[in-house]
Amino acid sequence: MRLNVGLLGGGSWGTTVAALVSRNAPITLWARDAETVDAINRDHENRKYLSGIKLPPALRATGDIGQAVAGADVLVMGVPSHSFRGVLEEARAHLRPWVPVISLTKGLELASGKRMTELIEEVLPGHPVGVLTGPNLAREIMSGQAAASVLSMEDEIVVRALQPLFHSGLFRVYTNTDLLGCELGGVLKNIVAIAVGMGDGLGAGDNTRAALITRGLSEITRLGVAMGGRPETFAGLTGMGDLIATCTSPLSRNRHVGVELGKGRHIDAIIADMHMVAEGVKSAPTVMALADRYGLDMPIARDVFDVTQGKRSALDVFRGLLRSSVGDEAHPG
């Protein structure tokens, strides 16, 4: 059966996923920016977010959200966390019942602390929900480099039915039914990437980076398991895999924020210079609230929260790390 796909969001990752899906199914991408829509349709390029990369002619864009949603058998959400709820509410009037909704967004809603799939369930009850997540840097994938991702939904039958939509050539898509664990891995790794970037900006070495990534993974796993995720999920593509890519790539927005913080720049100035969203900055307060709710110590996440809130500098944080007490690696206090 040929499925029609609607994708909401004209950023780098939304455009990349739309280009991949266009090889397997008819897809319409909705973007709010009229110039982006025109450039995709006329020149097969998203100049704002993926300049210099040709998009498949089969990918069509529209500025009319109803046109993208009304005929969709699958809806993909590629908008940032701060506008996710609003776009869902816009789409609701056009969406047919029972259409699966897949999130690409690795963030939490600031006001409620909810994951994006929880927002989908709240705004669009009755629709199967899922996430596509993993170590997926958009520009690398659009350049034809091999990558792996995970499509996660709680219903194994539905997730296997949708898997071929996203699987394409060198872009390998696995399935996982641990929806909470997969989604949390994508959210939490952004905060660790900011910490690693701060170290890089301060001139720290590879040993420091390895320690931060490893201890960061420990923090992510503790919170994820406390919230109901499966431990093995965090050792897979959506946990460790995504963490490594985001913490080490020069293409990573969250790492870039950390690097600039490490150089002594203020968070407001860094964000003002970026035209893409670094979700880790917005997620940090919510993650700290979750850590407090579950009674967990997350020192790396707390340091990132303090620096992104302007309470301490990156240099102060790293001096503090050197003075902090150490205990059993497997059973931290």
Side-chain angles (χ1 to χ4, degrees):
M1 184 174 66
R2 195 95 158 132
L3 297 173
N4 290 304
V5 181
L7 190 145
L8 306 184
S12 59
W13 184 226
T15 303
T16 298
V17 171
L20 292 167
V21 171
S22 72
R23 300 173 186 173
N24 300 321
I27 183 166
T28 303
L29 179 150
W30 170 81
R32 215 181 281 282
D33 183 58
E35 285 185 20
T36 297
V37 171
D38 290 343
I40 291 173
N41 289 334
R42 185 183 61 246
D43 306 320
H44 310 302
E45 186 179 357
N46 185 335
R47 288 198 193 88
K48 188 173 182 182
Y49 294 107
L50 290 169
S51 60
I53 292 179
K54 278 294 174 192
L55 300 172
L59 172 57
R60 306 303 295 168
T62 180
D64 177 354
I65 196 167
Q67 190 178 339
V69 175
D73 301 305
V74 179
L75 183 64
V76 182
M77 293 289 297
V79 297
S81 61
H82 64 265
S83 54
F84 203 94
R85 180 187 291 271
V87 173
L88 279 177
E89 288 169 348
E90 282 185 68
R92 180 169 52 194
H94 308 284
L95 190 62
R96 292 179 295 116
W98 314 117
V99 169
V101 183
I102 308 297
S103 169
L104 307 178
T105 304
K106 297 174 178 178
L108 299 167
E109 187 178 48
L110 186 57
S112 68
K114 290 185 175 182
R115 306 185 316 277
M116 298 302 103
T117 56
E118 291 179 302
L119 291 185
I120 296 167
E121 288 171 336
E122 179 188 328
V123 177
L124 302 172
H127 290 264
V129 299
V131 296
L132 182 71
T133 184
N136 303 142
L137 297 156
R139 191 166 279 275
E140 281 192 8
I141 292 165
M142 290 305 294
S143 299
Q145 296 184 26
S149 194
V150 174
L151 180 65
S152 180
M153 303 179 79
E154 291 178 348
D155 188 315
E156 191 159 358
I157 295 170
V158 178
V159 76
R160 289 198 179 277
L162 295 184
Q163 182 183 17
L165 267 184
F166 299 96
H167 191 94
S168 178
L170 293 175
F171 186 70
R172 300 178 60 81
V173 176
Y174 296 85
T175 62
N176 189 324
T177 55
D178 181 14
L179 177 58
L180 185 147
C182 288
E183 189 168 19
L184 274 178
V187 170
L188 299 173
K189 56 91 188 183
N190 287 327
I191 293 169
V192 180
I194 294 174
V196 171
M198 289 194 301
D200 291 345
L202 285 163
D206 292 338
N207 292 331
T208 306
R209 187 183 302 117
L212 283 170
I213 291 173
T214 309
R215 298 312 303 155
L217 180 62
S218 176
E219 288 189 18
I220 288 170
T221 305
R222 286 204 303 277
L223 179 57
V225 171
M227 292 178 67
R230 299 199 294 257
E232 62 271 22
T233 298
F234 299 95
L237 286 167
T238 64
M240 186 189 296
D242 205 356
L243 184 66
I244 292 169
T246 310
C247 288
T248 60
S249 173
L251 298 173
S252 164
R253 293 169 238 171
N254 291 281
R255 178 185 172 275
H256 168 77
V257 168
V259 169
E260 295 302 306
L261 287 167
K263 291 177 180 176
R265 293 185 68 200
H266 192 274
I267 187 66
D268 293 341
I270 299 166
I271 298 300
D273 284 348
M274 296 175 69
H275 68 270
M276 291 195 277
V277 175
E279 288 283 1
V281 177
K282 293 185 296 185
S283 297
T286 310
V287 170
M288 289 324 304
L290 289 169
D292 292 341
R293 185 190 307 170
Y294 288 93
L296 297 173
D297 184 27
M298 297 182 67
I300 295 173
R302 190 167 295 282
D303 285 344
V304 169
F305 171 73
D306 286 348
V307 177
T308 54
Q309 296 293 307
K311 296 179 179 180
R312 290 192 289 162
S313 71
L315 185 58
D316 289 339
V317 160
F318 270 77
R319 282 176 177 155
L321 277 178
L322 296 176
R323 288 195 296 267
S324 63
S325 60
V326 291
D328 187 315
E329 183 194 21
H331 303 94

